[in-house]
């Protein structure tokens, strides 16, 4: 038993990125060499099934806990930084919509049934409202993420109003338990990706990676535009001075570390230290940085939007202007509830897909593809999210000092 435990420790001590790369390479080699060994594909099926099982609970508990524990605010600076977080995340989603329309990407999916996007604005509202108020238990069991998100917000607000601190802490502990379970599931990602890549390569050959390459370029391109153009523009409008020295400092000292850790939560101490070096108010950044790790999810909004529209293009859903606009809003709300674990934003793709009438089984295939490209996508996403936490915290602090 000790040998098994030692072996597991050695396995988990290896970087998850390296393990995923190894699984990807082995899966591609096996797919080319022994495509008749179809049993290998079961690894991918089991991994996707585990994600499908845990994702609805994860979304519900994390969002509920986050709202219940949110502070009452720290004056004008707090309102400013929250506004920056939400605006930048929404802009990121809109950039992803534009990028997806300009450079549409399709995916390799199986057993695809064409969905139908809501057409008129009244249909959009009807579909949205109907799904929002669906039975919360049925929403969880049916993976109705719109309903899950709505009821999680309602329950979180109710907990904040009437529950004791002890009860809220219990909910938070339960959220930590679910997050830990997700981390354990993701430890098996290399095996799942091995099976998924094997299935793709054995069926389609290596050209399957051409599509994934286009998808990675679109995701990373949208995130870079958000990081280097739209975020600095928001900061400039607030501070009225060149934001790029601050931006590059944040990217170098926060984004670089987050790129490799792939965890906004793990990067909180790094961001706190950077805020101190920048001379920011400790009472302010001690709240805004942890909050940013929860709701400032520009990269997650890009991932959710791009992956959802890629599925829509694949299954032949025609997305209207109003549908795209509401998709940006949904991606923003969903991104704010994204889990802090690696690949957490991918688990919210089915929520956005359900808005376009795309079934959970098809959407979860896109999630699986997301894990295949996650070595790059999730690293860039986390670097964007975490560095922007410090960037907008500093912007809000400097903006407040300008008014004083």
């Amino acid at each position: 038993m000790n040998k098994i435990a030692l072996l597991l420790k050695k396995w988990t001590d290896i970087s998850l990125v390296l393990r995923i790369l190894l699984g990807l390479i082995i899966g591609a080699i096996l797919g080319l060499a022994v495509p008749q060994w179809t049993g290998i594909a079961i690894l991918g099926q089991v991994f996707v099934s585990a994600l499908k099982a845990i994702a609805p609970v994860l979304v519900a508990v994390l969002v509920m806990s986050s709202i219940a524990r949110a502070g009452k605010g720290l004056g004008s600076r707090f309102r400013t930084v929250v506004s920056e977080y939400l605006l930048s995340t929404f802009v990121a989603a809109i950039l992803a919509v534009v990028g997806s329309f300009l450079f549409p990407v399709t995916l390799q999916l199986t057993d695809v049934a064409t969905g139908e996007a809501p057409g008129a604005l009244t249909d959009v509202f009807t579909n949205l409202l109907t799904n929002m108020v669906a039975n919360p238990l049925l929403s969880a069991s049916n993976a109705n993420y719109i309903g899950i998100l709505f009821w999680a917000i309602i329950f979180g607000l109710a907990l904040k109003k009437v529950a004791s601190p002890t009860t809220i802490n219990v909910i938070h502990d339960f959220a930590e338990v679910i997050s830990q379970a997700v981390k354990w599931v993701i430890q098996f990602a290399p095996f799942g990706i091995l099976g998924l890549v094997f299935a793709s390569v054995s069926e389609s050959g290596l050209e399957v990676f051409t599509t994934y390459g286009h998808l990675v370029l679109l995701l990373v391109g949208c995130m870079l535009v958000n990081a280097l153009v739209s975020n600095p523009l928001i900061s400039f409008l607030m501070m009225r001075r060149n934001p790029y020295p601050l931006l590059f400092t944040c990217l170098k000292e926060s984004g670089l570390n987050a790129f490799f850790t792939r965890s906004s939560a793990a990067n909180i101490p790094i961001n706190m230290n950077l805020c101190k070096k920048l001379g920011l108010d400790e009472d302010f950044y001690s709240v805004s940085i942890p909050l940013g790790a929860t709701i400032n999810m520009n990269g997650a909004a890009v991932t959710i939007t791009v992956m959802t529209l890629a599925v829509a293009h694949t299954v032949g859903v025609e997305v209207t202007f109003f549908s795209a606009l509401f998709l940006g809003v949904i991606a923003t709300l969903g991104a704010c509830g994204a889990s802090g674990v690696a690949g957490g934003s991918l688990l919210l793709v089915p929520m956005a897909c359900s808005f376009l009438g795309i079934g959970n089984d098809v959407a979860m295939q896109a999630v699986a593809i997301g894990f295949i490209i996650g070595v790059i996508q999730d690293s860039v996403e986390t670097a964007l999210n975490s560095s922007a936490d410090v960037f907008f915290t500093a912007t809000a602090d400097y903006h407040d000092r300008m008014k004083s």
Side-chain angles (χ1 to χ4, degrees):
M1 187 64 180
N2 289 336
K3 290 183 178 180
I4 295 177
L6 182 61
L7 185 63
L8 286 174
K9 186 178 184 306
K10 288 183 177 180
W11 169 253
T12 54
D13 284 344
I14 301 173
S15 166
L16 182 62
V17 172
L18 293 179
R19 284 181 280 150
I20 288 176
L21 280 173
L22 184 62
L24 191 153
I25 294 169
I26 294 175
I29 292 173
L30 291 177
L32 291 172
V34 285
Q36 68 275 15
W37 290 6
T38 55
I40 297 175
I42 190 87
L43 294 172
Q45 296 170 15
V46 169
F47 180 60
V48 172
S49 295
L51 292 176
K52 288 170 64 176
I54 196 67
V57 181
L58 176 71
V59 172
V61 176
L62 280 176
V63 173
M64 185 168 59
S65 173
S66 177
I67 291 175
R69 289 170 55 86
K72 295 183 181 295
L74 292 174
S76 61
R77 282 179 296 175
F78 187 82
R79 290 192 295 272
T80 299
V81 78
V82 169
S83 299
E84 289 174 331
Y85 286 163
L86 295 178
L87 176 61
S88 64
T89 301
F90 178 69
V91 170
I94 297 303
L95 286 173
V97 169
V98 174
S100 295
F101 277 107
L102 291 176
F103 308 101
V105 172
T106 56
L107 307 175
Q108 297 284 344
L109 306 177
T110 59
D111 299 324
V112 170
T114 301
E116 293 184 1
L121 183 58
T122 54
D123 295 332
V124 173
F125 275 114
T126 300
N127 183 48
L128 180 63
L129 293 175
T130 301
N131 287 329
M132 277 175 57
V133 298
N135 183 296
L137 296 179
L138 289 178
S139 294
S141 62
N142 296 332
N144 170 20
Y145 287 89
I146 302 297
I148 292 170
L149 192 61
F150 173 77
W151 287 113
I153 292 172
I154 295 297
F155 293 150
L157 292 172
L159 281 167
K160 188 177 181 65
K161 185 174 180 61
V162 303
S164 67
T166 301
T167 302
I168 293 176
N169 287 335
V170 169
I171 298 296
H172 174 68
D173 288 343
F174 186 52
E176 291 295 312
V177 168
I178 300 298
S179 296
Q180 182 62 56
V182 172
K183 291 178 183 178
W184 286 338
V185 171
I186 291 177
Q187 288 300 319
F188 290 93
F191 300 103
I193 288 171
L194 187 155
L196 293 166
V197 172
F198 170 85
S200 297
V201 173
S202 62
E203 292 176 8
S204 306
L206 287 177
E207 61 267 20
V208 71
F209 290 108
T210 303
T211 298
Y212 294 162
H214 293 163
L215 179 60
V216 169
L217 287 175
L218 178 58
L219 285 164
V220 173
C222 289
M223 292 181 195
L224 287 177
V225 171
N226 181 245
L228 300 176
V229 179
S230 63
N231 282 356
L233 178 60
I234 293 172
S235 178
F236 172 75
L237 293 175
M238 298 295 298
M239 298 191 302
R240 297 295 180 179
R241 71 186 196 192
N242 182 5
Y244 284 98
L246 173 63
L247 174 67
F248 293 140
T249 297
C250 294
L251 289 173
K252 181 180 70 173
E253 300 198 25
S254 172
L256 188 61
N257 187 75
F259 181 89
F260 292 104
T261 63
R262 299 173 67 202
S263 171
S264 295
N267 217 46
I268 286 176
I270 302 294
N271 285 349
M272 293 278 202
N273 186 60
L274 177 55
C275 287
K276 184 176 182 179
K277 288 174 63 177
L278 292 172
L280 306 184
D281 183 356
E282 184 175 0
D283 289 338
F284 174 52
Y285 71 70
S286 63
V287 175
S288 68
I289 292 299
L291 180 65
T294 303
I295 68 170
N296 185 39
M297 293 291 181
N298 309 36
V302 169
T303 297
I304 294 168
T305 305
V306 167
M307 296 298 293
T308 299
L309 290 176
V311 175
H313 292 146
T314 301
V315 303
V317 169
E318 183 178 351
V319 183
T320 66
F321 170 78
F322 290 115
S323 297
L325 182 62
F326 276 99
L327 177 61
V329 174
I330 289 171
T332 300
L333 294 174
C336 292
S339 169
V341 301
S345 61
L346 294 172
L347 299 179
L348 295 168
V349 171
M351 176 193 70
C353 283
S354 67
F355 170 71
L356 298 178
I358 299 170
N360 190 52
D361 289 340
V362 173
M364 288 308 298
Q365 293 183 56
V367 174
I369 291 173
F371 274 99
I372 292 175
I373 64 172
V375 173
I376 299 174
Q377 168 266 325
D378 197 47
S379 295
V380 177
E381 175 184 316
T382 308
L384 169 59
N385 292 342
S386 191
S387 61
D389 294 346
V390 181
F391 183 65
F392 286 125
T393 292
T395 296
D397 193 290
Y398 295 156
H399 173 70
D400 186 73
R401 295 181 189 183
M402 287 171 55
K403 296 191 304 180
S404 302

